[in-house]
Amino acid sequence: MPRRGTPMFPDGTGPAADPAGSHHERRIRSFQPRRSRVSPTQADALRRLWPTWGLDIDGLSRIDLDAFFDGLPVVLEIGFGMGEATAQMAAADPDTGILGCDVHTPGQGNLLGLAERNGLSNIRVANGDAIILLREMLAPASLAGLRVYFPDPWPKKRHHKRRLVQPEFIALAATRLAPGALVHCATDWEPYAEQMLEVLSAEPTLENLHPGYAPRPDFRPLTKFEGQGLDKGHVVHDLLFRRRDA
């Protein structure tokens, strides 16, 4: 590990510590950047693969998704953890690109390593704030789907404002979804599930594919956080909404 204050990946050899810098407003965020405990294997994957498969969310230019994913339809996954479930979904559906957005450096390196070892050419990793990615760097109607699996529930009432799934976030994300695009959220925190259902149902451009919560779809693998929740006796809720055609 580099000394405190020293860039972990200098000269663009890996994800930047604060890619958006001062280009965009400071606000309450739904995430806490974590860059510690990067293993040598993860660091090696980042240094070798980041220039080709990685993207810093600096908010300065729009991404050409067709070029970045060789013409595949693209699903945005926000918060992929260590990337095991993401890699499984990419392997099961090679005709869909997955743009995984996270700020956890070990997870970024782990997912890139999984992609390389399993020959998964349909994975890209974005580092930074998903709000800036959606607002500044993705074109309208450019996404084939949005996945938010087990986001931080911020259980204390005073922290609820930090939750990702809020009306403003969903309204923004909906503008980046192509007609027919699928929005898939999952959580094991009951109050957050209720908030997700309320927020998604209130967005006029989305329609619920089920009366309330959805059965867990076959394409979503069991995630680490899901397993931890189940071990604690939590009930997992899936929500499946679709972008309306008009």
Side-chain angles (χ1 to χ4, degrees):
M1 291 292 296
R3 294 180 180 179
R4 185 179 297 275
T6 302
M8 186 178 295
F9 301 101
D11 303 322
T13 57
D18 186 12
S22 60
H23 301 307
H24 298 279
E25 76 282 3
R26 297 296 177 183
R27 54 181 168 76
I28 296 172
R29 294 186 176 181
S30 64
F31 60 88
Q32 296 283 1
R34 296 170 292 160
R35 296 178 61 84
S36 60
R37 299 183 296 278
V38 177
S39 72
T41 300
Q42 294 161 357
D44 176 68
L46 285 165
R47 291 190 179 96
R48 290 187 299 102
L49 303 173
W50 190 260
T52 302
W53 289 350
L55 169 74
D56 276 321
I57 301 173
D58 57 17
L60 298 179
S61 60
R62 184 160 284 179
I63 305 167
D64 184 344
L65 290 179
D66 282 340
F68 203 28
F69 283 90
D70 299 321
L72 295 177
V74 178
V75 170
L76 173 63
E77 181 181 358
I78 299 176
F80 53 77
M82 294 304 290
E84 292 94 344
T86 305
Q88 290 180 53
M89 290 186 289
D93 186 10
D95 293 328
T96 296
I98 300 179
L99 177 59
C101 177
D102 210 305
V103 294
H104 188 213
T105 313
Q108 294 167 349
N110 196 63
L111 178 54
L112 288 175
L114 287 170
E116 181 182 50
R117 289 192 295 275
N118 292 285
L120 305 174
S121 61
N122 57 331
I123 290 176
R124 305 290 184 270
V125 176
N127 168 55
D129 190 337
I131 301 294
I132 295 176
L133 174 66
L134 285 163
R135 190 182 63 205
E136 309 292 346
M137 302 182 71
L138 295 178
S142 60
L143 294 173
L146 172 68
R147 296 169 181 165
V148 182
Y149 298 156
F150 303 94
D152 193 327
W154 295 102
K156 295 181 181 179
K157 186 174 181 179
R158 69 177 183 272
H159 291 156
H160 287 183
K161 59 190 175 183
R162 294 183 178 273
R163 289 177 174 173
L164 177 64
V165 181
Q166 308 273 4
E168 297 81 5
F169 166 75
I170 293 299
L172 170 62
T175 66
R176 275 31 184 178
L177 298 173
L182 189 68
V183 178
H184 185 194
C185 298
T187 181
D188 66 326
W189 195 257
E190 185 78 26
Y192 200 4
E194 293 171 357
Q195 177 177 326
M196 287 178 174
L197 182 58
E198 179 181 354
V199 169
L200 290 165
S201 298
E203 171 52 48
T205 64
L206 300 178
E207 59 179 340
N208 196 346
L209 298 184
H210 298 271
Y213 300 115
R216 177 173 171 264
D218 293 338
F219 65 79
R220 182 176 69 74
L222 182 74
T223 72
K224 172 185 174 183
F225 290 108
E226 181 176 7
Q228 292 174 346
L230 292 172
D231 289 343
K232 296 174 183 177
H234 295 182
V235 176
V236 174
H237 291 292
D238 284 81
L239 302 97
L240 289 170
F241 282 70
R242 182 170 55 203
R243 180 67 160 84
R244 298 181 190 273
D245 292 339

